[in-house]
Amino acid sequence: MMIEIHDDINVDEYNKLRVEVGWEIKNPLIVEKAIRNSTIIKKATYDSKTVGMARAIGDGMSYLLVDVVVSSKYQKQGIGKKLVNSIIDAIKNETMAGEYSTINLISIRGMEKFYESCGFEAVPFGYNGKGMRIKIEK
């Protein structure tokens, strides 16, 4: 299987992938803003079909890995790992010599082992406390 990685995604591709894994569709205006404000976007294609994506938002020192999604039909084939590694590589390339960057994420329950296989460590460890989250709804 020849998977290609691209540095873009559009609103329709984004929402289609969400539906394929059982997530809800997001408002296209919000998706467009999220895509525009993403620091790094990676899209996986197979035979010109979008089969996965991942995004990172960040400021050059700290990044948040979000929206790692692989179509249900294409899971367990290394595509997610390829997407995550392409984001890690992009951040490595942007990190200045002698400096470091951090990549944070909140895993969906049950996917922790996948992220550990990509080099992430479960929090808390070292001086890190528990990951935390607040959901704002209107």
Side-chain angles (χ1 to χ4, degrees):
M1 176 181 294
M2 183 60 173
I3 297 296
E4 295 180 4
I5 302 294
H6 308 270
D7 295 327
D8 69 324
I9 193 160
N10 66 45
V11 172
D12 291 337
E13 292 167 326
Y14 178 93
N15 269 328
K16 188 170 189 277
L17 281 169
R18 290 181 64 90
V19 168
E20 289 178 8
V21 296
W23 296 358
E24 77 278 1
I25 290 176
K26 299 294 278 183
N27 180 312
L29 295 174
I30 293 173
V31 173
E32 190 174 310
K33 182 178 181 181
I35 291 169
R36 186 174 58 248
N37 289 331
S38 295
T39 307
I40 301 165
I41 297 171
K42 299 295 179 180
K43 171 177 71 179
T45 60
Y46 171 68
D47 199 24
S48 300
K49 176 183 173 9
T50 300
V51 297
M53 65 148 172
R55 298 186 304 121
I57 52 179
D59 60 11
M61 292 189 298
S62 298
Y63 297 85
L64 182 64
L65 181 61
V66 293
D67 292 335
V68 178
V69 182
V70 175
S71 173
S72 300
K73 300 172 199 160
Y74 294 89
Q75 291 178 5
K76 307 285 188 210
Q77 298 180 39
I79 297 169
K81 193 165 202 165
K82 193 169 191 172
L83 286 164
V84 170
N85 285 337
S86 67
I87 286 182
I88 292 170
D89 290 344
I91 293 169
K92 281 180 184 174
N93 289 337
E94 291 296 317
T95 303
M96 292 175 58
E99 295 294 325
Y100 69 89
S101 299
T102 58
I103 307 171
N104 303 288
L105 66 87
I106 298 175
S107 176
I108 289 177
R109 191 176 323 250
M111 293 302 296
E112 296 88 351
K113 294 282 185 224
F114 165 75
Y115 291 108
E116 288 172 356
S117 77
C118 294
F120 288 86
E121 294 180 84
V123 176
F125 69 90
Y127 66 86
N128 295 289
K130 291 182 179 178
M132 302 177 93
R133 177 179 186 226
I134 186 171
K135 185 177 182 179
I136 309 296
E137 292 189 66
K138 282 183 95 176

